[in-house]
Amino acid sequence: MGVHHSTSKIAFSDSNLGEGTIIGVIDTGIWPESPSFNDEAMGQIPSRWKGICQGGKHFNSTNCNKKIIGARWFMKGISDQTKKLLQGNNSDEYLSARDAIGHGTHTASTAAGYFVGNANYRGLASGLARGGAPLAHLAIYKACWDFPIGDCTDADILKAFDKAIHDGVDVLTVSLGFAIPLFSYVDQRDSLAIGSFHATSKGITVVCSAGNSGPVSQTVTNTAPWIITVGATTIDRAFPAAITLGNNRTVWGQSIDMGKHNLGSVGLTYSERIAVDPSDNLAKDCQSGSLNATMAAGKIVLCFSVSDQQDIVSASLTVKEAGGVGLVYAQYHEDGLNQCGSFPCIKVDYEVGTQTLTYIRRSRFPTASLSFPKTVIGKWTSPRVASFSSRGPSSMSPTVLKPDIAAPGVDILAAFPPKGTTRSSGFAFLSGTSMSCPHVAGIAALIKSKHPTWSPAAIRSALVTTASQTGTDGSLISEEGSTHKAADPFDIGGGHVDPNKAMDPGLIYDITTEDYVQFLCSMGHSSASISKVTKTTTSCKKGKHQTLNLNLPSILVPNLKRVATVMRTVTNVGNITAVYKALLKVPYGIKVRVEPQTLSFNSDARILNFSVSFLSTQKFHGDYKFGSLTWTDGKYFVRTPIAVRTIQFE
């Protein structure tokens, strides 16, 4: 993200590492003993803090400190039947804020973990770990539980939002989400939209994950316009592991788990050759029970993933049960590495898988040896959009660009409960938009620390308009779905988060709670149903194009028949006197006009309006075409992504 200890003068000297801000985490709880939550360097607990440290199983007030300043847990929404399950002995869950799953510990340390030297996972990715805002305080709201028939209930999530608002958090990081089809924003069942609406109206910035249903389009979740929705990208760290074939050729895969020992040269075979039943297809991707134990014994097995039903972890169990000693798993591109326990497994792409298979077919006695993975930093171009990151456009409100922004979410090393008896360093790798969300929440806390009066919309605007479009190799950030292409706003929103630039964006697009209410009106909701959610009296004004004119830092016109005009307002937060000019990248087949083309700010003119008019030259029903509008005074570049779809048939 461009933040280095020595050179990060801007983000970190200006903002005191988030000192004095409070980040609330609605998740699965926390493992308070993790060194990431050490409070030795923390400032005093802010006097405005009204939270508590709620006791429970293996958690009492001494587990809170100046880092974890509050902890609560909520389970009244859970059925009595489930509570009995939890209280029985068949669950590792704790009836307290203690984290049994690990998800909440991981996200909390990513947002605000303190510096931890030599953090690593079994020797991999060793280095200095820290969260986005290492001096921010944490408030933990455990609303999600580890049990078989579900994890979080609406009642518990809403109660967690309520308490977080009451307690006085500045930022909420919420790595939760519904799958499509989505509920409307005034539906009681969308507890995340409703809870975050109330938090936002009280000035709390709410950051949520975009979902892990990519690369399919229109799968993005948490699409309400008052939420900052975060997609996931890769980082420049990889864990290559060598597979040395018997013909002395070395091919490469990736792994974060290589068992207890280096495997010397042993027999190598292809799963279909050792199928229990050669007439079915189950052995190809090593489905459970599909391999002949006599033929698998002592060998490394190559399997090819052919469906979503199978993954490297269950394939490794199949090979292990059949007496195999290692797995090479060939699969389609999918970001994120999984641990196969203590069993050596290496993930390869179809090309390497096919090269390995060709060697097996040509050799009379194929052999191979698997080496330990290495940590390699800076050799892979990054960021790329994570394959799993849910994509826009929003299926619920197509005029609102989602995701807003993208941040690292693949193979992220962060704090984790020390599991079992294995030598655990208290850190683990996880992948998901759940991991990218707290990166942005930490940065939001840094912005809040520097600009305490900024609204959640101003903070989102700063993040979106300063985000980056280019990778470490200088080319456009790419996305790898079914094919490889340049990422567009439905993959990464405004772009990849740039914490340094977001501290000082030049101009911001601000939004009031009333604007959001009028947006709900324009979606066709009645005043009564909106009032039920906002808990205030709502009067819907008759306004045209209110869905297009919500003052977002992005412009989306989903149904352009011939002409449309969009209004926006910008507030100057840079030099008091400044002249900004409009730079346009025009979507293909669309004529665009910005009026005025120059914005002149001074002490009397801090807030200025402009309009963007679109004229379609297309005669066909089209797909989305992308562009951008950048306001610049030479120092600042305030970029707004644009997406337009022409409609000729309805």
Side-chain angles (χ1 to χ4, degrees):
M1 299 193 299
V3 173
H4 306 286
H5 301 302
S6 50
T7 58
S8 61
K9 303 266 191 307
I10 310 172
F12 296 100
S13 56
D14 280 11
S15 65
N16 306 325
L17 303 174
E19 205 167 336
T21 54
I22 303 168
I23 301 176
V25 186
I26 300 179
D27 211 305
T28 63
I30 197 160
W31 195 265
E33 291 80 8
S34 165
S36 294
F37 310 124
N38 173 341
D39 72 346
E40 63 182 337
M42 295 299 299
Q44 286 309 308
I45 296 171
S47 56
R48 60 197 162 85
W49 176 244
K50 297 199 198 74
I52 60 163
C53 192
Q54 183 184 352
K57 185 179 173 191
H58 298 312
F59 199 101
N60 62 33
S61 57
T62 62
N63 290 118
C64 291
N65 56 17
K66 286 187 293 189
K67 169 58 86 177
I68 303 171
I69 61 171
R72 297 180 185 264
W73 47 286
F74 309 93
M75 59 180 313
K76 286 204 172 123
I78 294 170
S79 71
D80 290 340
Q81 177 197 355
T82 308
K83 279 187 193 141
K84 287 200 187 85
L85 269 176
L86 276 179
Q87 283 154 350
N89 296 330
N90 59 346
S91 168
D92 297 332
E93 191 48 277
Y94 303 94
L95 295 185
S96 71
R98 186 172 287 281
D99 182 9
I101 298 173
H103 190 271
T105 300
H106 201 277
T107 54
S109 68
T110 303
Y114 190 60
F115 296 87
V116 179
N118 193 27
N120 67 85
Y121 174 75
R122 298 191 173 174
L124 290 172
S126 185
L128 182 66
R130 45 155 285 212
L135 292 184
H137 304 280
L138 281 167
I140 304 305
Y141 301 90
K142 178 175 175 178
C144 298
W145 300 81
D146 183 15
F147 49 79
I149 48 177
D151 31 32
C152 333
T153 64
D154 289 320
D156 292 334
I157 290 170
L158 280 173
K159 191 71 175 172
F161 271 106
D162 259 350
K163 288 299 185 190
I165 294 166
H166 163 273
D167 291 349
V169 303
D170 298 303
V171 176
L172 271 168
T173 183
V174 189
S175 290
L176 308 172
F178 297 98
I180 56 171
L182 304 177
F183 296 113
S184 98
Y185 307 139
V186 298
D187 190 308
Q188 300 296 320
R189 291 167 294 188
D190 192 347
S191 50
L192 293 172
I194 294 171
S196 60
F197 178 89
H198 285 273
T200 305
S201 67
K202 297 280 195 295
I204 299 164
T205 301
V206 182
V207 187
C208 292
S209 40
N212 301 329
S213 305
V216 182
S217 70
Q218 301 185 351
T219 50
V220 65
T221 184
N222 291 318
T223 55
W226 46 84
I227 293 173
I228 301 176
T229 310
V230 189
T233 53
T234 61
I235 56 177
D236 65 350
R237 183 174 62 202
F239 304 102
I243 303 159
T244 308
L245 304 175
N247 59 2
N248 277 339
R249 180 168 179 204
T250 297
V251 292
W252 291 87
Q254 285 213 51
S255 173
I256 48 172
D257 236 334
M258 282 298 296
K260 297 188 175 73
H261 54 279
N262 256 6
L263 270 187
S265 189
V266 298
L268 169 70
T269 188
Y270 172 45
S271 57
E272 286 199 292
R273 291 187 159 191
I274 58 169
V276 168
D277 181 356
S279 65
D280 65 35
N281 221 4
L282 298 177
K284 184 178 282 188
D285 58 358
C286 295
Q287 305 238 357
S288 182
S290 64
L291 303 181
N292 178 319
T294 319
M295 296 163 85
K299 290 196 174 84
I300 295 165
V301 180
L302 167 68
C303 313
F304 271 74
S305 160
V306 285
S307 72
D308 294 348
Q309 305 327 214
Q310 181 64 316
D311 60 42
I312 190 168
V313 177
S314 42
S316 74
L317 290 172
T318 304
V319 173
K320 194 177 177 182
E321 279 164 11
V325 294
L327 167 68
V328 177
Y329 193 71
Q331 67 167 89
Y332 53 88
H333 175 76
E334 186 181 34
D335 284 307
L337 294 166
N338 290 310
Q339 296 125 13
C340 298
S342 59
F343 191 74
C345 62
I346 297 182
K347 177 164 101 170
V348 298
D349 61 18
Y350 284 144
E351 183 186 349
V352 169
T354 304
Q355 288 168 353
T356 308
L357 181 54
T358 303
Y359 160 70
I360 291 171
R361 285 173 172 161
R362 285 181 182 165
S363 168
R364 281 184 65 191
F365 301 107
T367 59
S369 63
L370 308 181
S371 74
F372 280 122
K374 302 198 230 341
T375 304
V376 175
I377 294 168
K379 295 287 188 208
W380 270 259
T381 180
S382 69
R384 285 191 339 270
V385 184
S387 56
F388 55 75
S389 186
S390 287
R391 307 300 207 260
S394 160
S395 54
M396 180 55 67
S397 46
T399 57
V400 178
L401 177 63
K402 292 289 170 178
D404 290 284
I405 190 124
V410 177
D411 299 327
I412 301 301
L413 184 81
F416 207 71
K419 288 270 162 103
T421 52
T422 52
R423 187 175 52 84
S424 170
S425 55
F427 281 80
F429 292 113
L430 291 179
S431 297
T433 51
S434 281
M435 284 62 252
S436 47
C437 170
H439 280 81
V440 172
I443 297 160
L446 299 183
I447 300 173
K448 185 79 178 169
S449 178
K450 187 182 174 191
H451 305 283
T453 60
W454 281 15
S455 68
I459 290 173
R460 187 244 309 267
S461 175
L463 291 162
V464 172
T465 60
T466 59
S468 148
Q469 270 64 59
T470 48
T472 46
D473 61 351
S475 66
L476 287 173
I477 293 170
S478 67
E479 72 96 36
E480 206 161 344
S482 46
T483 56
H484 200 81
K485 68 170 180 65
D488 63 44
F490 294 143
D491 302 315
I492 54 173
H496 191 259
V497 67
D498 184 330
N500 294 321
K501 286 188 179 154
M503 295 301 136
D504 186 18
L507 305 176
I508 53 169
Y509 293 80
D510 212 347
I511 304 178
T512 65
T513 302
E514 180 58 23
D515 295 335
Y516 289 130
V517 169
Q518 294 307 319
F519 167 82
L520 290 172
C521 293
S522 71
M523 283 186 78
H525 300 301
S526 68
S527 301
S529 59
I530 296 169
S531 297
K532 227 170 155 179
V533 166
T534 62
K535 299 283 185 257
T536 53
T537 0
T538 304
S539 56
C540 284
K541 300 181 182 70
K542 288 275 174 279
K544 251 182 77 180
H545 299 312
Q546 191 51 44
T547 49
L548 291 178
N549 292 335
L550 182 63
N551 200 37
L552 294 161
S554 53
I555 297 172
L556 237 166
V557 186
N559 301 317
L560 179 65
K561 279 194 209 137
R562 184 149 167 75
V563 288
T565 300
V566 177
M567 305 299 297
R568 288 291 185 270
T569 303
V570 279
T571 305
N572 180 20
V573 293
N575 306 332
I576 290 170
T577 310
V579 177
Y580 280 83
K581 290 188 169 55
L583 302 177
L584 268 172
K585 269 193 180 166
V586 179
Y588 179 80
I590 312 283
K591 289 188 167 145
V592 184
R593 193 172 75 242
V594 180
E595 282 188 0
Q597 294 185 1
T598 302
L599 298 175
S600 300
F601 295 94
N602 56 46
S603 52
D604 298 325
R606 225 172 58 82
I607 300 174
L608 295 174
N609 302 324
F610 64 89
S611 69
V612 186
S613 303
F614 297 93
L615 168 68
S616 170
T617 61
Q618 294 293 303
K619 294 184 174 50
F620 299 101
H621 208 62
D623 287 330
Y624 278 98
K625 298 289 185 279
F626 304 102
S628 62
L629 161 62
T630 303
W631 289 104
T632 181
D633 65 346
K635 175 186 174 187
Y636 296 106
F637 290 84
V638 186
R639 182 182 177 277
T640 295
I642 295 174
V644 183
R645 178 174 61 180
T646 53
I647 294 286
Q648 294 297 331
F649 171 85
E650 59 178 346

